[in-house]
Amino acid sequence: MMDETQPLLQDAHLVFDERQGDAPGKDIVDFNPDGDAENPMEWPQAYKWGMVALLAFMAFTVTFTCIGVVPVATRIVDDLDHGHSSKSASVLLVTIWELGEAAGPLLIAPLSELFGRYPVMNTANALFIAATILAALSQSATLFIVARALTGLAVASNVLNPAIVGDIFASEQRGSAMSLIQLAPLIGGAIGPAISGAIAETLGWRRTVWMSVILATACEVVFLTCFRETYKVAILRRKAARLRRETGNKSLRTVFDTDEESDAKRLWTAIMRPFIVLAGSGVLQALSVFGAVVFTYFYIMVTTLPDILEGMYSLSPAAAGSAFISFSVGSFVSVIICNQTLDRIYIRLRDSNKGVGRPEYRLPLVIIGGFTLPVAVAAYGWSAQAHISISLLLLTVVVIGVTLMLGFLPLYAYVVDAFGLYSASAMTAVIVTRCLAGTFLPLATEPLVKKFGYGAGLTVLGGMCLVLAPIPVFILRYGHKWRQRSKYSRD
């Protein structure tokens, strides 16, 4: 069974107070309560928001790399397999990224909690660049798909961005920061397909991949030179090590180091933690499944929209790629809504509860998204089926963007608030289930569309979300009591 105090604690300050009687206070290294420049919570606001901009830059690059191949996926498979392509291969070329992202966080999250955010983020970024170069040099569709999976494997931003925000911002400020970080992927998702579609018609699809290499390299240079460690546990351990060297007092340690444990055992414990946190929290299991199904509709949309626009509306790859801006417009609207209301809703509900805040107060927007997204997906399918005006079809894509992000974005804020220092491992559960669903559920779209058409086929797929929509309602009402059953999310 995992020791709750090694290497992570639900609330380090509470444990510090409880351990005061067990060890001399002078031997415990902690931040100075009167002000400490090493405490990420006390860093200048300008620097904090600079870090948010840096995280957004990487999120933009990741999304640009991921989505840029969508409108030209069939062309890539045709080129690499010399005209012997299949729809399943082009869909897998797009969705296999998610399979990589499902595996990566299982190692990235616990390593960040063991060694800190800085070394893990930079190592993952270097691997991301190497895998993207491999994709640019691929000579077969199989190798390209493998490279895409490796690139997804090296994505650290999905797990670490929310955790870093939790490291440096107070609870009532996190919603705005996380919403702004999520804005960058929307821009990458908008211009990525448009650029790749246009370049594929003129210079070839490989140039788009090389653009991703350049962006990722520039981003990593900034990370190496400007990013600082934000994880409290790692900062305090380094501070304790420095003080031991300076003072010669070998008894100095952090509250996280009161138990002796080998590095190998500590690493194994850290790697297993996401599974243990997921298994130990029913709330996390329920919201992970809900979030996974909600986000799946993004890949259902991006793998069907090019076929609809090019096959039914006779658009070029460049024009089809530009149409993805409609989804980004909807997502942008959703981010604005979250940015303007997420923290306000939290504060209002907190004040109505005698000033006691709860993570569940992040969920009202999720409920709205959960019930409206199935309607938007069905409208998208029937609009394609009826071959209505392309402007109306793209309007349904806008609505999908709004409702999907409303149903998904606030989940990040909820996980950070509910799981505290376990947030990176808890976030892994959300991301892994999302990625597994995003990899394989879109493969069911083609047979459903072939059998029932776009209207009925996408309505069936939208029904999955409608069935799961009551989950956030239940958690908003009973989640506080439910969370107390898990030692990882207790208040």
Side-chain angles (χ1 to χ4, degrees), residues 52 90 96 131 153 178 181 212 222 240 404 413 443 446 468 481:
V52 170
S90 61
I96 196 67
L153 182 69
M178 291 171 68
I181 288 176
S212 298
V222 180
L404 188 151
L443 296 175
E446 184 187 14
L468 298 176
K481 295 181 180 179

Side-chain angles (χ1 to χ4, degrees), residues 12 24 51 101-102 174 182 228-229 237 240 315-316 332 351 358 360 397 430:
M51 293 183 67
E101 283 196 31
R174 293 170 187 163
Q182 292 298 327
R228 293 171 59 187
E229 180 59 63
R237 281 180 174 152
L315 297 187
S316 67
F332 178 78
D351 292 344
R358 292 178 178 176
E360 287 73 27
V397 177
V430 176

Side-chain angles (χ1 to χ4, degrees), residues 29-31 36-41 43 112-118 167-168 228-243 254 256-257:
V29 176
D30 201 353
F31 294 131
D36 195 324
E38 294 185 75
N39 186 351
M41 289 287 185
W43 289 347
S112 79
E113 293 173 341
L114 184 59
F115 298 110
R117 319 295 192 203
Y118 181 86
D167 291 340
I168 64 178
R228 293 171 59 187
E229 180 59 63
T230 65
Y231 188 47
K232 177 178 181 179
V233 178
I235 294 172
L236 288 178
R237 281 180 174 152
R238 292 171 189 173
K239 182 177 182 180
R242 185 182 71 247
L243 292 175
T254 74
F256 308 99
D257 299 316

Side-chain angles (χ1 to χ4, degrees), residues 13 17 21 48 63 65 140 177-178 186 195 197 252 263 303 357 386 449:
H13 298 291
D17 292 339
K48 288 184 180 182
T63 307
T65 306
S140 70
M178 291 171 68
L186 305 183
I195 291 175
L252 290 175
D263 289 341
T303 55
V449 169

Side-chain angles (χ1 to χ4, degrees), residues 197-456:
I199 291 179
E201 293 183 359
T202 56
L203 302 176
W205 57 266
R206 292 185 191 273
R207 294 294 181 91
T208 302
V209 183
W210 283 114
M211 287 182 61
S212 298
V213 173
I214 294 171
L215 285 172
T217 302
C219 187
E220 175 55 15
V221 170
V222 180
F223 262 104
L224 282 172
T225 55
C226 300
F227 185 69
R228 293 171 59 187
E229 180 59 63
T230 65
Y231 188 47
K232 177 178 181 179
V233 178
I235 294 172
L236 288 178
R237 281 180 174 152
R238 292 171 189 173
K239 182 177 182 180
R242 185 182 71 247
L243 292 175
R244 286 195 295 268
R245 290 193 303 269
E246 294 174 352
T247 65
N249 183 358
K250 302 301 182 182
S251 298
L252 290 175
R253 64 192 185 280
T254 74
V255 72
F256 308 99
D257 299 316
T258 53
D259 298 319
E260 294 295 331
E261 190 173 54
S262 67
D263 289 341
K265 184 177 180 181
R266 184 179 296 172
L267 178 60
W268 176 250
T269 300
I271 292 174
M272 290 301 296
R273 184 178 297 108
F275 299 101
I276 297 172
V277 173
L278 178 61
S281 174
V283 170
L284 188 60
Q285 294 167 16
L287 282 182
S288 293
V289 172
F290 172 81
V293 172
V294 166
F295 199 80
T296 294
Y297 295 106
F298 170 71
Y299 278 101
I300 291 174
M301 185 275 297
V302 300
T303 55
T304 56
L305 187 59
D307 289 341
I308 293 172
L309 295 179
E310 295 178 31
M312 300 176 65
Y313 292 87
S314 303
L315 297 187
S316 67
S322 299
F324 282 87
I325 294 176
S326 58
F327 179 85
S328 295
V329 169
S331 300
F332 178 78
V333 171
S334 181
V335 169
I336 295 298
I337 292 172
C338 290
N339 189 42
Q340 294 297 318
T341 64
L342 194 57
D343 288 335
R344 293 181 182 179
I345 292 172
Y346 179 90
I347 292 171
R348 178 172 296 182
L349 292 176
R350 181 195 64 188
D351 292 344
S352 68
N353 192 37
K354 300 179 180 179
V356 179
R358 292 178 178 176
E360 287 73 27
Y361 298 158
R362 301 290 190 186
L363 297 178
L365 294 180
V366 177
I367 295 171
I368 295 174
F371 280 100
T372 55
L373 179 59
V375 178
V377 172
Y380 167 67
W382 287 109
S383 297
Q385 178 99 9
H387 203 283
I388 63 172
S389 167
I390 191 170
S391 59
L392 293 178
L393 173 68
L394 295 182
L395 179 61
T396 65
V397 177
V398 172
V399 177
I400 289 177
V402 174
T403 57
L404 188 151
M405 301 306 275
L406 282 180
F408 190 77
L409 283 184
L411 290 183
Y412 285 149
Y414 175 85
V415 170
V416 171
D417 285 355
F419 291 87
L421 285 175
Y422 293 101
S423 62
S425 289
M427 192 65 66
T428 299
V430 176
I431 291 175
V432 167
T433 51
R434 184 205 81 185
C435 292
L436 290 174
T439 300
F440 299 110
L441 282 182
L443 296 175
T445 305
E446 184 187 14
L448 283 173
V449 169
K450 281 187 175 180
K451 185 172 184 179
F452 301 110
Y454 281 108

Side-chain angles (χ1 to χ4, degrees), residues 103-162:
L106 295 176
L107 191 61
I108 290 171
L111 285 177
S112 79
E113 293 173 341
L114 184 59
F115 298 110
R117 319 295 192 203
Y118 181 86
V120 174
M121 179 69 87
N122 284 294
T123 301
N125 288 348
L127 294 175
F128 181 90
I129 294 170
T132 308
I133 292 174
L134 177 61
L137 299 175
S138 296
Q139 297 300 317
S140 70
T142 301
L143 182 58
F144 192 94
I145 290 173
V146 170
R148 289 273 295 176
L150 292 175
T151 309
L153 182 69
V155 172
S157 57
N158 285 344
V159 177
L160 297 188
N161 283 2

